[in-house]
Amino acid sequence: MASYDSKDLIVLEGLDAVRMRPGMYIGTTGLKGLHHLLWEIIDNAIDEIANGYGNKVVVTLHKDGTASVLDNGRGIPVSPHPKLKMSGVEVVFTQLHAGGKFGDHNYKYSGGLHGVGASVTNALSRYLEVNVYKDGKKYFARFESIEKNGKIHSGVPVEHLKEVGNTTLKGSYVRFLPDDRVFKDINFDYDTVYERLKETAFLNKGVHIELIDERINKQETLCYEGGIRDYVTSLTMDKKPLFVPPIYIENEIDDTYVSVALQYVDNYTENIFSYVNNIPTPEGGTHEVGFKTALTKVLNDFVKKHTKEGKDKKDKEIAFIGDDFREGLVAVLSIKMKNVQFEGQTKTKLGNVEARARVESVCTQGLTEFFASKKNENIGNIIIEKAKSAARVRQAAKRAKDLARSKNIETSMLIGKLANCTSKNADINEIFIVEGDSAGGTAKQGRDRYFQAILPLRGKPLNSEKKRIDQVLANEEIRTIIGAIGTGIGEDFKLDNLKYNKIIILSDADQDGMHIRCILLTFFFRYMRPLITNGNIYVGMPPLYKVTTKDKEWYCYTDEELNKITSNLKNYSLQRYKGLGEMSAEQLWTTTMDPARRSMIRVTLEDAVMADKEITMWMGDDVGPRKDYINKNANFNKIDTFKKNKEDKEGN
Ligand code: TSJ
């Protein structure tokens, strides 16, 4: 029986490697891996059929534990391979990735290449037999995994391919016994095989697939003339389809075959099942993107067209997004192309960039034609109605979410105005909350952008004294601050997420500036109190005066300082800064922002408590006493109100 020689063993080192590390080729040696052996064989047969040769595949699970696959295609090549000096059949079963040597230029859409090849099935089988029916002749070959000197050699051709008779049949037949030294369990599962074949039958319309289980005397034939249309129909059987039958598009472009079937059901989920060369791509990829783009475009066009005709002017106001058109969508997208590249976590995402435009083109054309037909107008309207309700719900949900955010805030939006620093090190980073856009601009120019971020507050953002704090939270400026700081607020506050070690409020030394400071402090006090107790909140101290003599200049931060300096001077000029905007970027840097020279007040809990009291007072209606109170107590520039100690108060 055995007619192999030592040359066969050398040739098969690759197959021995498969046996050494089966996991690398089939993932597991559990049931999934076992079935993988069968998928490899089935996929090869299906490829032949899918490329137009033959129309039938029979899968049999035998009593002896073997599985066999028969097709009525052209028959695996039997002629010797010019380089490898062995029959085509032997190449297929002994060379890893033999598909590349044979299939690539023979099949229009080289499908079988996704698998590791029939040789892996051979390597992990006790034995494997092949019958080829071709050109009136019948051929046979047998491979075995044999033990020699205590070592197992995988898939050795123990009977080289030979002619064994005449036949009128055409096709290939492969039968193998999975090796129980590799797999714990070698029992094929009927349902698993059935489900796989059913999916395959849907994806290859008109192909007859027969499953025979001799172990339990069960037999089933699967054939769907409607292909993926029938797939979508079966997927939506126990749901409520909004129309029947599914929309179907099929075309070929640049050697890429594209087909898609879609339907909408009465729910809110999106279900797109996509495939490339019959391989599922649950992670999506470029083909799915192309399909979605086309769907969104065509449906938007449909809305526009029917709005233009004056049917429903209101529709114009709805700004649809792609998701709106995919609520309740059930679609099967199947493409076939050459040289597929898979990416993603599980290598189940199509990466070929060219697929996107091709799928988009076929789908746009097909869907446009579909909806242009008068008899399909109603289907278009049904889909648009569904999309409208999706858009409405989406907008309502967004409003609700915004409101929830403004109360129980976790805000990462609205930080567009933030001029962030480049450093990602929160320990050294600082954020200046600056009153007014113009001062904000100056601060942006003056800062050290490596560690200093600038967040300008527009004018006087919180100018209504009657604003209750929850209304303050609805304020865009406040939400921006929350988003920038990163900690969240209230119960959700997490100091670990703080993005800046120092949060510096920088406002003018006037009433408005004071007002803003108080509101911000109140806000921090109520919603981010740990920032205050942890000592992260500061009030920047821009100078109030500049004193200049012939040969020297001084910046004074308080009236006291000014008195002290000017008392010893005779000829000097005095500049009073009314706002940050009067300073140049350079001046702002040297006097207020440069850590080596600036003065800052580190805000204490008592400071914040006081600010909070003041805010509470401001909420009253009587303006008179309020103003007095502010002037007396809330003036940060009065050294006795907020004890100002240079740098030592900054805590480093
Ligand atoms: F898995 C497998 F490779 F063992 C296998 C392949 C198993 C089964 C059941 C069928 C097949 C198979 C392969 N069916 N049909 C083919 N066809 C070819 O390999 C083939 C035939 C002719 C030509 C040609 O150019 O004339 C090219 C090819 C690739």
Side-chain angles (χ1 to χ4, degrees), residues 522-572:
T522 301
F523 165 73
F524 289 131
F525 173 68
R526 292 194 185 179
Y527 293 93
M528 297 180 162
R529 192 169 303 177
L531 290 184
I532 296 172
T533 51
N534 197 48
N536 301 106
I537 309 282
Y538 295 81
V539 171
M541 294 283 284
L544 294 177
Y545 308 100
K546 186 164 103 172
V547 179
T548 314
T549 62
K550 259 204 334 286
D551 41 34
K552 219 175 166 196
E553 58 180 310
W554 295 265
Y555 291 103
C556 304
Y557 296 84
T558 63
D559 289 337
E560 274 179 359
E561 253 175 28
L562 178 70
N563 292 336
K564 218 166 116 193
I565 283 166
T566 53
S567 60
N568 301 322
L569 295 173
K570 283 191 182 80
N571 275 329
Y572 65 90

Side-chain angles (χ1 to χ4, degrees), residues 41-61:
I41 304 302
I42 293 172
D43 288 352
N44 274 286
I46 292 289
D47 271 353
E48 177 77 0
I49 309 300
N51 278 275
Y53 308 105
N55 66 349
K56 189 172 176 177
V57 173
V58 182
V59 177
T60 308
L61 307 174

Side-chain angles (χ1 to χ4, degrees), residues 40-42 44-45 48 69-71 73-77 92-93 102-103 106-107 118 134 172-174:
E40 286 297 337
I41 304 302
I42 293 172
N44 274 286
E48 177 77 0
V69 180
L70 169 71
D71 72 41
R74 293 167 298 175
I76 303 169
V92 167
F93 288 101
F102 263 103
N106 281 301
Y107 291 141
K134 202 180 176 82
S172 310
Y173 178 80
V174 173

